[in-house]
Amino acid sequence: MKTDVQIAQEAQMKPITEIAAQLDITDDEIELYGKYKAKIDLGVLDRLQDKPDGKLILVTAINPTPAGEGKTTTNVGLSMALNKLGYKTVTTLREPSLGPCFGVKGGAAGGGYAQVVPMDDINLHFTGDFHAITSAHNLLAAMVDNSIHQGNPLDIVTKKVVWKRVMDMNDRALRNIVVGLGNKGDGVTREAGFDITVASEIMAILCLATSRENLKERLGRMVVAYNSKGEAVTANDIGATGAMALLLKDAIKPNLVQTLENTPAIIHGGPFANIAHGCNSVMATKTALKLGDYVVTEAGFGADLGAEKFFDIKCRAAGLKPACTVIVATVRALKMHGGVDKKELGPENLEALEAGCANLLQHIDNVAKYGVPAVVAINRFPTDTEAELALLDKLCKAKGADVVLSEVFAKGGEGGIELAKKVIEITETKESNFAPIYDSEASIKEKIETIAKEIYHADGVVFEGSANKQIAELEKLGLDKYPICMAKTQYSFSDNAALLGAPEGFKITVREVKVSAGAGFVVALTGSIMTMPGLPKVPAACGMDILEDGTIIGLS
């Protein structure tokens, strides 16, 4: 089979004006970024505010493994299949980060014959949204340090500056740095560091904002430091809000592209789910719901991270009500969760499959707690045996979840027809009684413990000394009545990446708690999770190149 890049390069794309026309978007409501990309004007939402919303479908997955699950591929394939069945459908995805693209994970445009295109543009600089977010974030960082240097009128305690700098690349050497070295005029010397852009609070704000005014309001209340009285210093106090909003004037607009089969795709925002809230923008989702009969969206990594945050943070903030959840798994990945080495995944192994299926069954239970009906999509591989597929079907049905085979990677939309029919059946016959699993007014510890026990199935939570102190400070400042954004490894229900399947008898250790007041959530960092990833021994970048004729190789 051809590589993803080869398939994407052979795509018969339509001019983006035609894709917009499919959704009844006028030429005046799009801003072209070349022939195949466009920004959607925010006025579309205003024009269609009285139009009923389409049905929202969430695509999530089991905990990821090196064997692959195919969540984004399933999202894209399902949207194309729904379109084939005559339903006006829009897929909504996150924008890929350059960090994992050049590191180890690769891009995020789907795969095989279920991709969004132009794939190379989407995986690289796209329409510049991430660069705008990086610039806005670092402008604020520069203004904080400048305020300290220029007499420190806000009485900022330099050891309590919590606003780091960001860049959209994996670079572990920048996690902890010292700024202000050199002469007196080079600034105040202090410890600092970098996060990856997708972990920036501005990224989260862009993805949760509902208008330009709401964007500015959220930007203004971001906490950047604390003064000698222990009071929060905000971006408004620094005087940076208007300039940051100006840098984000185009980035706030959703991006319109298409799938290989010309189904409209709105791709906007890109917070990671293991260190941020893992969902595409509210603006993109709300716009898509006004334009389509069905909107297929995704949440990052496994359902313990992405789906939990989609339900408890995004849906709560935006008033969204998902109609159905698709939980993606592969036989290969489940066998890895059952203890099989990656090199031994081909041969039939029913014992390992049943053991690993505990991971999938726990995700099924968890989604049910939110009151959203679900279907399991098995991303089929040629090595899957009939006995393995039959066992999987039996185990899932015992949990009350239907199982559908998906072959969108090899067959495109045609390979997702059965899944699409099942999704339609569910949305037409089963009521979604969606509700978050905790009250945001509960204490920080109560909310974290609810997630740990109900979603991770942990025995409890251990709060380290620094976390206890930080929680007490946030409660004193009245910054505790927000949803929780857990920063946790994506590979396990626990905070230990090595504990696969559905581990028992463990506790979650929270080592740091900080507020993202602009985004509207409290971040709890667990285990050894890092907000600035590092590169692997052999980065994916080593295999990438561009030829004299402009052909790109090695990008996936």
Side-chain angles (χ1 to χ4, degrees):
M1 184 171 170
K2 296 175 181 177
T3 66
D4 290 352
V5 176
Q6 289 172 328
I7 293 171
Q9 289 171 341
E10 294 174 1
Q12 299 297 309
M13 290 186 284
K14 292 182 179 179
I16 201 63
T17 50
E18 292 186 25
I19 301 299
Q22 289 177 216
L23 297 173
D24 300 320
I25 300 174
T26 68
D27 287 348
D28 291 338
E29 293 173 327
I30 58 170
E31 298 170 16
L32 300 179
Y33 279 63
K35 192 175 180 180
Y36 302 112
K37 298 175 292 183
K39 286 278 186 182
I40 301 175
D41 189 83
L42 302 186
V44 171
L45 265 177
D46 295 330
R47 176 170 66 84
L48 300 175
Q49 61 181 333
D50 295 327
K51 184 176 181 292
D53 286 348
K55 295 177 180 178
L56 182 60
I57 312 301
L58 172 68
V59 178
T60 186
I62 61 173
N63 292 93
T65 71
E69 290 70 49
K71 173 165 55 66
T72 304
T73 301
T74 302
N75 175 308
V76 175
L78 173 59
S79 69
M80 296 192 302
L82 287 164
N83 213 33
K84 276 182 173 289
L85 292 175
Y87 296 89
K88 186 186 290 186
T89 306
V90 185
T91 180
T92 60
L93 298 167
R94 292 172 297 159
E95 300 176 48
S97 164
L98 293 178
C101 187
F102 288 107
V104 65
K105 187 175 180 290
Y113 288 91
Q115 297 186 56
V116 283
V117 285
M119 182 265 264
D120 50 354
D121 286 358
I122 293 167
N123 278 329
L124 296 176
H125 304 286
F126 202 19
T127 57
D129 293 345
F130 281 25
H131 298 305
I133 292 166
T134 301
S135 296
H137 185 113
N138 291 337
L139 169 64
L140 178 56
M143 291 179 71
V144 169
D145 276 312
N146 184 61
S147 180
I148 296 171
H149 175 71
Q150 303 289 357
N152 198 10
L154 297 173
D155 191 25
I156 292 172
V157 178
T158 56
K159 283 192 171 292
K160 290 197 172 183
V161 175
V162 295
W163 194 257
K164 296 181 178 181
R165 286 164 169 79
V166 297
M167 65 182 293
D168 189 29
M169 199 60 65
N170 294 2
D171 193 347
R172 62 172 58 82
L174 294 177
R175 289 174 186 160
N176 300 287
I177 63 171
V178 177
V179 298
L181 294 174
N183 299 319
K184 183 179 179 181
D186 295 327
V188 175
T189 303
R190 66 177 185 86
E191 293 184 34
F194 273 77
D195 290 332
I196 191 166
T197 296
V198 290
S200 167
E201 185 176 353
I202 296 179
M203 174 67 81
I205 286 172
L206 186 86
C207 289
L208 291 169
T210 55
S211 66
R212 280 200 182 91
E213 195 59 37
N214 183 246
L215 175 76
K216 288 199 288 187
E217 178 191 334
R218 288 173 176 272
L219 290 172
R221 65 176 190 246
M222 293 188 300
V223 176
V224 298
Y226 295 89
N227 63 22
S228 61
K229 295 180 181 179
E231 299 165 334
V233 178
T234 67
N236 271 340
D237 296 328
I238 296 294
T241 303
M244 287 190 293
L246 178 59
L247 284 169
L248 300 170
K249 69 181 183 65
D250 294 318
I252 192 175
K253 301 171 186 175
N255 306 296
L256 180 65
V257 286
Q258 62 191 289
T259 72
L260 290 174
E261 296 179 7
N262 312 119
T263 295
I266 299 179
I267 302 180
H268 194 217
F272 283 174
N274 60 345
I275 54 180
H277 76 285
C279 306
N280 71 301
S281 78
V282 167
M283 297 290 286
T285 303
K286 282 183 168 288
T287 300
L289 285 169
K290 293 299 182 184
L291 297 171
D293 302 321
Y294 281 92
V295 173
V296 185
T297 193
E298 53 120 25
F301 292 127
D304 57 317
L305 288 169
E308 185 272 314
K309 293 170 183 178
F310 175 84
F311 293 140
D312 285 320
I313 296 176
K314 180 177 178 177
C315 289
R316 188 198 305 263
L320 300 174
K321 183 180 179 181
C324 174
T325 298
V326 178
I327 306 172
V328 181
T330 64
V331 169
R332 291 166 57 84
L334 290 172
K335 286 194 285 191
M336 279 203 79
H337 275 292
V340 177
D341 186 87
K342 184 181 179 182
K343 298 177 182 177
E344 304 297 328
L345 294 175
E348 181 175 282
N349 191 329
L350 298 178
E351 183 179 351
L353 176 60
E354 184 165 5
C357 200
N359 185 273
L360 171 59
L361 299 181
Q362 188 162 310
H363 285 299
I364 294 172
D365 280 342
N366 289 348
V367 169
K369 292 177 181 179
Y370 290 95
V372 182
V375 58
V376 174
I378 300 301
N379 191 13
R380 188 170 191 173
F381 277 73
T383 54
D384 299 346
T385 69
E386 292 302 322
E388 288 174 330
L389 295 173
L391 174 61
L392 202 48
D393 185 72
K394 175 185 174 183
L395 293 171
C396 291
K397 283 184 175 175
K399 279 286 183 183
D402 288 326
V403 179
V404 179
L405 296 182
S406 172
E407 296 181 274
V408 296
F409 182 89
K411 299 179 181 179
E414 191 62 36
I417 293 295
E418 292 307 311
L419 176 60
K421 289 180 177 178
K422 177 57 67 174
V423 165
I424 294 167
E425 176 191 323
I426 288 173
T427 60
E428 291 181 348
T429 62
K430 295 184 179 180
E431 180 68 26
S432 173
N433 298 306
F434 167 70
I437 61 166
Y438 60 79
D439 186 340
S440 60
E441 293 295 310
S443 73
I444 290 175
K445 287 190 175 181
E446 287 173 337
K447 288 177 283 197
I448 292 174
E449 286 169 350
T450 297
I451 296 170
K453 292 178 180 179
E454 293 295 322
I455 302 301
Y456 308 154
H457 294 217
D459 290 344
V461 181
V462 176
F463 294 91
E464 294 188 343
S466 56
N468 281 312
K469 182 181 178 181
Q470 290 157 348
I471 290 171
E473 289 173 348
L474 293 180
E475 289 174 341
K476 182 180 178 181
L477 293 168
L479 296 173
D480 57 325
K481 303 306 181 185
Y482 293 121
I484 299 296
C485 182
M486 298 291 286
K488 180 185 76 68
T489 177
Q490 65 268 34
Y491 299 113
S492 173
F493 277 109
S494 74
D495 54 11
N496 179 352
L499 296 180
L500 304 185
E504 298 177 344
F506 66 92
K507 292 186 177 181
I508 296 291
T509 299
V510 175
R511 58 181 174 81
E512 183 180 352
V513 175
K514 58 183 182 179
V515 68
S516 292
F521 52 66
V522 171
V523 180
L525 286 94
T526 72
S528 59
I529 196 72
M530 296 289 182
T531 50
M532 168 54 88
L535 291 170
K537 187 173 183 179
V538 182
C542 294
M544 297 181 188
D545 204 350
I546 183 167
L547 305 181
E548 182 63 26
D549 64 357
T551 301
I552 290 174
I553 56 175
L555 186 64
S556 63

